[in-house]
């Protein structure tokens, strides 16, 4: 446990404030408010340190705006100087609380996130259903108006169990009451603050501990105020739901959302973190797809107005493709890439100033259509493992690995000479009359039992990409 007189000085420490400033500006160095602060950086940081040292620091009023994405949310933005204080605070007290968080709290933590939570769901559904030998039920729950209903007094009480430094607690109160109207203390925390995200986890860690240690629920995952519990007995989940609702009301001043908290059969599909998860597959939610396609339309407008170039658009597209790859979305990803090429055609009249960067950009666009399984094969192949070894290691057929290698040749990820010997390539090329020749026809012309269909397919793939054009 930290000593009372050691926490607050650490927050005010000059090195901590400089480190906090660097974190607060990350990804925002072009913002005007950052540039304004940095015109007199040293003076501004010294003034902030002086206010903290003298305990005269006050938060500036929040800037509030409405975000429709697609759900309407009120987002509150703190002044840049206040964000530095937020980082300085969390850098000091974060570890004290985070080491007590359960493993399956997945929001706003390094190494966690939505995709890790979905992976964990996949693991739990196999265990809860005994490898699909039993029916599996899921308590899918949401806390009603979570951020709006967090009670400041309860939060301070939770924090004070581990923080004994009154100056730190007073600083937290200043941050919490920044949204007070006319000096009147109100409930809730603003969406958008780093401190809000952190305190939200601290607050619901009480629920996590209750579910894991009192109810002893094995298969529990939480992401902010959205959580699931998996079990093969529906009645057990009904009982837990009642106990959880009671705990929330009595201990945290919260309640389960009556319209968003249900016990469902896994086979019917569970909506969780942007996916509909079934026993054997996952699909993107329709609302998520519509949301992305709306964003793509917005990117098109910005591109046409010259606010974004094609490369910046593809960087945003890659993030979505990486996310979508966690579901069974192969056809949809191909549809998105086809749409991208139609909406953002490559203008060959625009001179390329950086050939290497331009080539990498086009290569990345092609790579984004590759399945994760193919990328795994590429990784193992690059370590000079043989096809038979890769198939054995991955527990798949050799024919599957050959298909992956053909795909990689088509996407210019490997050279055909890395897969097929130069001698065989020369023989195969001599028997290919057209790039659209059938494998069977080429094989019959070869009359060579040492050359396989897979080797022919690799050479044919290399010939096809020579005339491939980027649309």
């Amino acid at each position: 446990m930290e000593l009372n007189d050691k926490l607050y000085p650490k927050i005010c420490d000059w090195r901590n404030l400089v480190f906090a400033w660097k974190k607060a500006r990350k990804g925002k160095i072009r913002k005007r408010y950052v540039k304004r602060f940095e015109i007199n950086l040293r003076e501004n940081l010294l003034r902030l340190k002086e206010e903290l040292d003298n305990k005269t620091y006050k938060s500036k009023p929040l800037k509030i705006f409405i975000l429709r994405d697609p759900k309407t949310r009120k987002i509150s933005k703190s002044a840049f100087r206040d964000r530095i204080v937020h980082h300085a605070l969390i850098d000091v007290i974060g570890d004290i609380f985070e080491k007590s968080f359960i493993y399956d709290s997945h929001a706003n933590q390094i190494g966690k996130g939505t995709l890790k939570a979905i992976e964990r769901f996949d693991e739990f559904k196999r265990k809860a259903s005994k490898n699909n030998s039993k029916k599996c039920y899921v308590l899918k729950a949401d806390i009603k108006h979570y951020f709006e209903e967090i009670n400041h007094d309860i939060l301070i009480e939770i924090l004070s169990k581990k923080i004994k430094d009154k100056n730190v607690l007073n600083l937290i109160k200043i941050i919490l009451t920044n949204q007070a109207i006319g000096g009147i203390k109100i409930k809730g925390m603003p969406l958008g603050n780093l401190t809000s995200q952190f305190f939200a986890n601290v607050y619901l860690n009480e629920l996590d501990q209750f579910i894991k240690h009192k109810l002893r629920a094995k298969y529990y995952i939480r992401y902010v105020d959205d959580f699931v519990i998996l079990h093969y007995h529906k009645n057990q989940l009904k009982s837990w739901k009642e106990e959880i609702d009671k705990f929330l009301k009595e201990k945290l001043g919260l309640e389960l959302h009556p319209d968003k908290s249900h016990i469902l059969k896994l086979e019917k599909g569970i909506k969780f973190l942007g996916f509909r998860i079934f026993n054997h597959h996952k699909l993107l939610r329709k609302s998520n797809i519509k949301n992305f396609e709306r964003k793509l339309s917005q990117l098109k407008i910005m591109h046409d107005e010259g606010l974004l170039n094609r490369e910046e658009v593809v960087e945003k597209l890659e993030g979505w493709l990486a996310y979508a790859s966690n579901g069974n979305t192969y056809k949809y990803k191909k549809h998105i890439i086809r749409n991208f090429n139609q909406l953002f055609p490559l203008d060959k009249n625009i001179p390329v100033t950086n050939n290497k960067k331009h080539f990498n950009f086009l290569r990345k666009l092609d790579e984004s259509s590759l399945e994760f399984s193919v990328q795994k094969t590429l990784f193992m192949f690059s370590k000079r493992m043989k096809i038979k070894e890769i198939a054995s290691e991955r527990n798949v057929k050799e024919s599957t690995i050959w298909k992956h290698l053909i795909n990689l040749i088509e996407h210019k990820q490997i050279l055909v000479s890395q897969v097929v010997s130069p001698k065989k390539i020369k023989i195969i090329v001599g028997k290919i009359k057209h790039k659209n020749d059938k494998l069977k026809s080429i094989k019959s012309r070869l009359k060579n039992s040492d050359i396989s269909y897979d080797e022919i397919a690799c050479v044919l793939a290399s010939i096809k990409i020579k005339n491939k054009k980027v649309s």
Side-chain angles (χ1 to χ4, degrees):
M1 180 64 67
E2 297 283 348
L3 295 175
N4 289 356
D5 60 348
K6 285 193 175 180
L7 283 180
Y8 194 73
K10 283 184 178 181
I11 294 169
C12 306
D13 182 80
W14 173 255
R15 286 168 298 181
N16 187 47
L17 289 175
V18 170
F19 185 60
W21 157 68
K22 288 179 179 178
K23 282 183 136 181
R25 77 192 292 267
K26 192 174 181 181
K28 300 177 179 67
I29 56 174
R30 295 182 182 178
K31 299 288 185 181
R32 279 181 291 179
Y33 57 80
V34 176
K35 290 179 179 179
R36 281 198 301 268
F37 187 88
E38 293 178 355
I39 290 171
N40 298 303
L41 177 60
R42 184 174 176 81
E43 292 83 350
N44 286 330
L45 285 176
L46 282 170
R47 190 179 300 116
L48 199 55
K49 176 173 170 52
E50 184 182 353
E51 289 177 21
L52 289 167
D53 284 336
N54 296 333
K55 303 174 188 63
T56 58
Y57 167 78
K58 298 291 179 189
S59 300
K60 290 189 177 294
L62 297 168
K63 288 186 179 179
I64 297 171
F65 58 96
I66 303 300
L67 184 66
R68 294 178 175 87
D69 192 25
K71 187 168 69 174
T72 301
R73 293 178 292 166
K74 186 171 77 171
I75 305 297
S76 303
K77 189 163 75 171
S78 294
F80 183 66
R81 70 191 295 275
D82 294 330
R83 291 186 222 174
I84 294 172
V85 174
H86 297 171
H87 278 283
L89 171 67
I90 302 305
D91 284 342
V92 171
I93 70 169
D95 287 344
I96 297 171
F97 290 93
E98 286 178 1
K99 59 189 176 188
S100 68
F101 291 170
I102 66 166
Y103 182 83
D104 286 306
S105 168
H106 286 271
N108 307 310
Q109 293 184 75
I110 296 170
K112 298 293 180 72
T114 55
L115 300 182
K116 285 289 182 184
I118 291 164
E119 285 177 15
R120 194 68 165 158
F121 191 107
D122 284 339
E123 181 184 340
F124 282 174
K125 74 183 181 185
R126 289 192 296 271
K127 290 181 177 179
S129 65
K130 308 293 183 186
N131 284 325
N132 295 310
S133 64
K134 290 187 175 185
K135 283 188 177 179
C136 183
Y137 296 90
V138 182
L139 168 56
K140 170 68 176 67
D142 190 284
I143 296 170
K144 187 177 180 181
H145 303 152
Y146 176 50
F147 278 87
E148 297 169 26
E149 294 296 325
I150 289 176
N151 185 295
H152 293 180
D153 290 335
I154 295 174
L155 176 58
I156 292 295
E157 185 183 339
I158 293 168
L159 292 167
S160 62
K161 290 176 185 177
K162 294 190 176 182
I163 298 176
K164 303 303 179 183
D165 190 329
K166 290 182 180 179
N167 290 324
V168 176
L169 293 173
N170 286 334
L171 177 60
I172 292 170
K173 288 175 185 176
I174 289 168
I175 294 168
L176 286 175
T177 56
N178 189 29
Q179 60 173 345
I181 300 169
I184 301 170
K185 183 179 172 184
I186 61 174
K187 290 191 296 183
M189 294 190 302
L191 275 171
N193 277 357
L194 171 70
T195 47
S196 296
Q197 297 167 9
F198 176 74
F199 293 146
N201 267 343
V202 172
Y203 203 78
L204 280 187
N205 184 50
E206 301 295 303
L207 174 66
D208 297 340
Q209 301 298 331
F210 174 75
I211 291 175
K212 292 298 290 183
H213 301 299
K214 297 291 183 182
L215 301 184
R216 297 186 179 276
K218 283 185 179 180
Y219 309 124
Y220 165 71
I221 305 167
R222 180 177 65 78
Y223 189 89
V224 194
D225 59 336
D226 197 4
F227 67 87
V228 291
I229 306 177
L230 293 83
H231 203 276
Y232 50 84
H233 279 312
K234 187 175 183 180
N235 288 337
Q236 178 65 81
L237 290 176
K238 282 182 180 178
S239 173
W240 282 346
K241 183 184 175 186
E242 291 172 6
E243 291 186 63
I244 288 168
D245 203 26
K246 183 181 177 184
F247 175 85
L248 287 170
K249 288 174 181 176
E250 292 179 356
K251 301 295 184 180
L252 300 176
L254 302 169
E255 63 177 307
L256 292 178
H257 199 300
D259 300 326
K260 297 180 181 179
S261 302
H262 305 287
I263 296 168
L264 307 163
K265 282 184 181 178
L266 178 60
E267 64 191 48
K268 298 292 184 182
I270 306 300
K271 293 179 181 179
F272 187 53
L273 302 179
F275 287 91
R276 286 181 67 209
I277 305 174
F278 298 84
N279 290 76
H280 302 287
H281 67 288
K282 296 188 290 290
L283 300 175
L284 285 166
R285 290 179 62 180
K286 288 181 181 178
S287 60
N288 226 16
I289 292 172
K290 287 179 182 177
N291 189 26
F292 170 72
E293 291 182 349
R294 183 168 56 254
K295 284 182 179 178
L296 195 61
S297 299
Q298 291 169 355
L299 291 174
K300 170 65 175 169
I301 294 168
M302 293 174 74
H303 175 265
D304 290 348
E305 292 177 355
L307 299 173
L308 287 175
N309 61 37
R310 194 174 189 259
E311 186 172 353
E312 288 170 326
V313 175
V314 88
E315 284 174 2
K316 295 180 183 295
L317 177 70
E318 282 180 317
W320 170 257
L321 288 170
Y323 174 76
S325 294
N326 289 272
N328 301 83
T329 54
Y330 180 73
K331 287 184 179 179
Y332 180 69
K333 284 188 293 177
K334 290 188 75 173
H335 161 73
I336 287 296
I337 291 169
R338 188 165 54 248
N339 266 9
F340 171 83
N341 285 325
Q342 291 171 355
L343 291 170
F344 306 95
L346 185 65
D347 191 343
K348 294 178 176 59
N349 295 318
I350 297 175
V352 177
T353 56
N354 188 327
N355 285 315
K356 185 176 180 181
K357 185 177 180 181
H358 185 72
F359 172 76
N360 287 339
F361 160 64
L362 296 178
R363 177 177 56 78
K364 281 200 286 183
L365 179 62
D366 268 350
E367 281 177 9
S368 65
S369 66
L370 288 174
E371 287 286 85
F372 171 75
S373 183
V374 181
Q375 292 288 6
K376 196 168 183 180
T377 295
L378 173 60
F379 173 74
M380 298 173 83
F381 187 76
S382 65
K383 292 173 72 176
R384 298 190 178 182
M385 290 179 68
K386 294 179 180 179
I387 293 168
K388 191 172 184 178
E389 291 173 333
I390 298 171
S392 176
E393 180 77 20
R394 299 194 57 195
N395 197 26
V396 296
K397 294 179 181 177
E398 286 185 40
S399 59
T400 301
I401 303 302
W402 275 106
K403 285 178 184 176
H404 290 175
L405 295 174
I406 293 163
N407 199 342
L408 290 163
I409 291 169
E410 287 176 350
H411 285 85
K412 298 184 180 180
Q413 299 297 289
I414 56 174
L415 298 172
V416 64
S417 56
Q418 292 175 266
V419 185
V420 184
S421 70
K423 185 178 178 180
K424 285 186 177 180
I425 292 172
K426 190 175 180 180
I427 295 169
I428 295 167
V429 169
K431 299 298 180 181
I432 296 175
K433 294 181 178 179
H434 190 272
K435 66 176 183 176
N436 292 325
D437 267 357
K438 300 292 183 185
L439 293 177
K440 193 172 182 180
S441 302
I442 300 168
K443 178 72 172 171
S444 65
R445 292 185 209 123
L446 282 169
K447 296 178 181 178
N448 189 330
S449 58
D450 290 337
I451 297 174
S452 68
Y453 279 102
D454 293 315
E455 290 172 318
I456 298 168
C458 286
V459 176
L460 203 55
S462 70
I463 290 171
K464 285 179 181 178
I465 61 172
K466 288 180 181 178
N467 297 318
K468 185 178 177 182
K469 294 180 181 179
V470 180
S471 57

